[in-house]
Amino acid sequence: MKLTREENRMLEGQDGQATRKAMEILVAIGTIYGADQLLPVSSVQIAGVSYDNLGEAGLEFLAEMASDDAKVKVLTTLNPAGMDIENWQVLGIAADFALNQLRVIEAYTKMGVVPTCSCTPYLFGNLPHYGEHVAWAESSAVCYANSVLGARTNREGGPSALAAALTGKTPNYGFHLAENRRPTLTVQVQTILTGTHDFGTLGIAIGKAIEARKIKDIPYIRGLPGASMEELKSFCASIATYGGLALFHMEGITPESVLYQAPGNTLTITSNDLEAADRLLNEPQYADQVDFVSLGCPHLSLQEIARVADLLKGKQVTKTFWITTARPTKRIADQMGYTSIIEESGAVFATDTCCVVSPIKGRFKVMATDSAKACYYAASKNEFKTLFLAFDEVIAEALK
Ligand code: F3S
């Protein structure tokens, strides 16, 4: 791989040991994937923030990188942490976990990372434009950046994203190259979809069908008259979870779809496929045992919070109900009066975190949510049963 003088200087350790280590990581990845050079990136999104996932070894790695006075070279935002940074006691988080989580955040902020603690960085300032090269981790955000925004990123891991942040570079391979972004499979949707639940269900159906083909297809999806930002973020989270996809094109909706013709191979998705996908996550036999309700995977937008406030106004929830969102979004919700309406109902904001990365295993039995991704991890990580419902139905469940 050909390196510039500046990159060689970083590799030799002239910018400090943490930057040297970062360059070594990038050169190793680039060599494995056959990159010919490093590309400048304009932003980074770092995952691997929850102490629940990082553990002591991860925290030590971060502390070591931060101890070298290394600073990020581009706008860098953070994925959700394992708790609400300001109100962790309200969520029942143990004090020793909180202490370690705060050490993680401290290490990142020391390096100049903005502690947004959210998987929707594109909603508040980390918004790359079409064709821009970035280095993002967090599968749902990566899929959103590539597909909905038309930016270019591979699916980074925690260390490679941090390495990109400290150097402002990423290896030139994978989705950074135009030839790897062409669609390979037409997906014809023959049913009507509405809301985050339906788009999540579509992500399961397409993701699983592509997984079964054992080819890393890039779908060109047709037949959808439109999709809101909230529906697209739900779809991105779902198709990334169930199909491992980091890029799709949607005819008339996503920006790169105009560059391509629909490929010859076609997969058809009908209402039967969506019903089958829904049945995978929905366990109605546990409907009378729901003890945990969560909205906000991916993190809720302001419009979604407004809808929650509208439906909870003047009512009381009967179960633990987490509203998960980013702190910048919550601040606007505070100003708009949505927060007080929601909190008066007994629901709680789980800002900076989510029901997947927070250490809640063993605390609940059955979770209701509109998120296909949250259902996947509720079952696999936390061993919860799940009710997979439409957005408004989730709120009705919390009030039952
Ligand atoms: Fe975001 Fe947590 Fe879901 S990181 S996409 S809310 S699993």
Side-chain angles (χ1 to χ4, degrees), residues 83 88 93-103:
M83 63 184 200
W88 50 269
I93 302 294
D96 57 340
F97 180 92
L99 195 66
N100 285 324
Q101 184 62 76
L102 291 173
R103 287 167 61 211

Side-chain angles (χ1 to χ4, degrees), residues 161-218:
L162 180 59
L166 292 173
T167 58
K169 306 279 178 164
T170 197
N172 186 24
Y173 74 98
F175 292 121
H176 290 286
L177 305 176
E179 65 263 31
N180 295 330
R181 300 177 66 89
R182 301 189 69 78
T184 55
L185 174 71
T186 297
V187 176
Q188 187 70 45
V189 179
Q190 292 185 338
T191 180
I192 310 279
L193 305 177
T194 328
T196 49
H197 165 276
D198 284 7
F199 274 79
T201 312
L202 181 67
I204 304 168
I206 299 176
K208 283 195 158 287
I210 287 180
E211 281 253 293
R213 285 165 55 85
K214 299 198 188 313
I215 304 168
K216 276 282 158 215
D217 275 313
I218 296 174

